[in-house]
Amino acid sequence: MRVTTVDEIGSLDRRATTEFGVSEQILMENAGEALYYVILREMGIAGRRFAVVCGMGNNGGDGFVVARKIHTTGGHVETFVLGDPEGYGEAARVNYEMLSLSGAPITIRPTTGEVARALSEADVVVDGVFGTGITREVGGQYREVIEAINASGKTIFSVDIPSGVDGNTGAVRGAAVEADYTVTFGLPKRGNLLYPGAALGGRLFVTHISYPRPLSEDENILVSVSLPSRLPERTEHGHKGTFGDVLFIAGARNYFGAPAFSALSLLKAGGGYSRLAAPRSVVPSIASIGPEIVFAPQVETESGTLALEAEEELIALSELVDFVVLGPGLSVEDETQELVRRLVPDIDEPILIDGDGLTAIASDLDGIQRRTAPTVLTPHPGEMSRITGIPTEEILADPIPVVQGITKELDVIVVLKGAHSLIGLPDGRVFINPSGNSGMASAGSGDVLTGTVAAAYGLGLPLEEAVRTGVFLHGFAGDLASGERGEDGITARDILENLPDATLLLREQYDSVVTDFYGAIEVI
């Protein structure tokens, strides 16, 4: 499912009218009908009390449709208009007039106290204060009303996006409604899925409001929700090399977990042959954690990190495998960082660079650009800042353009790790991953991701699909772990141990996993 900016959804609305003859009135009626349907299905209408709070944009018009339908089917509804109805566009004005003629009570320019009184008496609140186009901080009575809605303790349904959430970035513009349900129209907006806005929308529904398929499937919209590919069938007569032969260049003295979790996650997610090139002195300790790993002990520095002298052997090892993971737990020791910078342009296999490997290449991006084989980078926002030179807070404020910029500049696939991780491709497409939870924000989680992506590639998926599927599986395993014990205290080992179940469920119950477990976006 494609995900739009505010400008893109505005363009689609105009095209629906000008190219396909779907009037603005029909679009608004369908939007209100969809929200009414969700309220009816989730809460019921007859005998319940509703407060509908409408701002001065088309969201207010959508709210009028909802209020009219609630009134028609036996609900007690009060509607509040936070401004002068003379300011509405044609479609919203028509729906205001229809609601007025229905006999349902409407209060124009209410005081905050009047709104708060209705909220206290209502069972359900419909938030139609702002739409997706808000770009300034919420203040004055609008902020007071939003705060009153949140303080009401009632079930809240938001129109299109919780009021106060930026439709492009998910940022909160001073104050925002904390909804239980959101029904968004046409297509999801970036702000519906990017944090912090994504946390404020509750359960998300999408209605296409009579968009013709050329609009809802417009390939010029480059951002989509990321869903995993179906895993290829395992060859019955396959051997360990059939399911992926991967070299992990990782580890240093005092960094045993990162290389172990990286290499083991390949096997736990269905991969076949996991080789680990690590400093000679740390191999026994890692072997005690992961005896299934095949070790290639390497010459090391005095501080117990990989030495430059290992370069030739590591290049030779890379020629034996299908995929290389470079970086987990390598350390930032100068000699080892230089080793990474020398290896990157000379490894001829697809490579995933993570952790300390990203720190190394951030100071010499030319090595990435000289590569001929595909490259995957998996930074967290701080590492992305080092690579791009963009401050971390700016990346977090609007990450999608940053991902699109660096993927194009370096011709790489990027996984920007975080809540709803982003997967960016060199052609500008970005996928928002739906799986995962805050409990996964712990040391070692990213190391497990590296092997999971490598496993998806080893099982036979094309690299772009393998990255998206690996990211999904990693998050799914974390969600299974949180389902067992809650989000507090999840460790990388918990994610690792849930990878076999996540892989099995995705393989055998794909539709259920995608539509039920991750049914956070339901199309109505």
Side-chain angles (χ1 to χ4, degrees), residues 59 127 130-134 158-168 170 177 179 182-185 189-193 197 201:
N59 263 33
D127 155 39
F130 293 122
T132 57
I134 186 170
S158 280
V159 177
D160 212 11
I161 197 167
S163 292
V165 172
D166 188 299
N168 285 329
V177 168
T182 299
V183 181
T184 196
F185 309 132
K189 320 309 178 291
R190 293 182 183 184
N192 291 125
L193 297 175

Side-chain angles (χ1 to χ4, degrees), residues 129-163:
V129 178
F130 293 122
T132 57
I134 186 170
T135 57
R136 63 182 184 276
E137 297 297 292
V138 177
Q141 187 188 23
Y142 288 110
R143 182 169 189 141
E144 293 172 357
V145 168
I146 287 173
E147 291 172 348
I149 290 172
N150 290 338
S152 71
K154 304 304 170 65
T155 301
I156 301 168
F157 290 78
S158 280
V159 177
D160 212 11
I161 197 167
S163 292

Side-chain angles (χ1 to χ4, degrees), residues 275-427:
R275 307 172 188 248
L276 174 58
R280 184 176 294 117
S281 65
V282 306
V283 166
S285 296
I286 299 173
S288 67
I289 303 172
E292 303 91 341
I293 301 167
V294 177
F295 291 93
Q298 300 296 307
V299 62
E300 60 188 71
T301 66
E302 290 185 2
S303 57
T305 68
L306 288 174
L308 273 173
E309 191 179 339
E311 179 182 3
E312 185 175 338
E313 183 175 350
L314 292 172
I315 293 294
L317 284 170
S318 73
E319 294 171 353
L320 303 175
V321 301
D322 309 312
F323 194 85
V324 176
V325 173
L326 174 61
L330 277 179
S331 88
V332 292
E333 201 274 340
D334 289 345
E335 184 172 339
T336 306
Q337 293 275 291
E338 178 60 24
L339 173 65
V340 171
R341 288 188 285 269
R342 293 189 186 186
L343 289 173
V344 165
D346 291 338
I347 290 175
D348 292 329
E349 299 299 327
I351 189 171
L352 184 154
I353 306 175
D354 183 59
D356 295 327
L358 293 170
T359 301
I361 62 100
S363 63
D364 182 18
L365 296 177
D366 183 61
I368 294 288
Q369 295 171 312
R370 297 203 311 271
R371 284 184 47 76
T372 56
T375 306
V376 182
L377 309 181
T378 56
H380 58 57
E383 291 163 338
M384 181 68 108
S385 177
R386 288 195 284 274
I387 293 169
T388 62
I390 299 171
T392 302
E393 58 271 21
E394 291 186 23
I395 294 172
L396 292 172
D398 197 6
I400 290 175
V402 178
V403 170
Q404 290 174 316
I406 199 65
T407 54
K408 181 178 180 180
E409 177 186 346
L410 300 181
D411 192 28
V412 295
I413 299 172
V414 168
V415 178
L416 180 58
K417 296 182 290 193
H420 286 181
S421 294
L422 303 179
I423 302 101
L425 306 182
D427 62 7

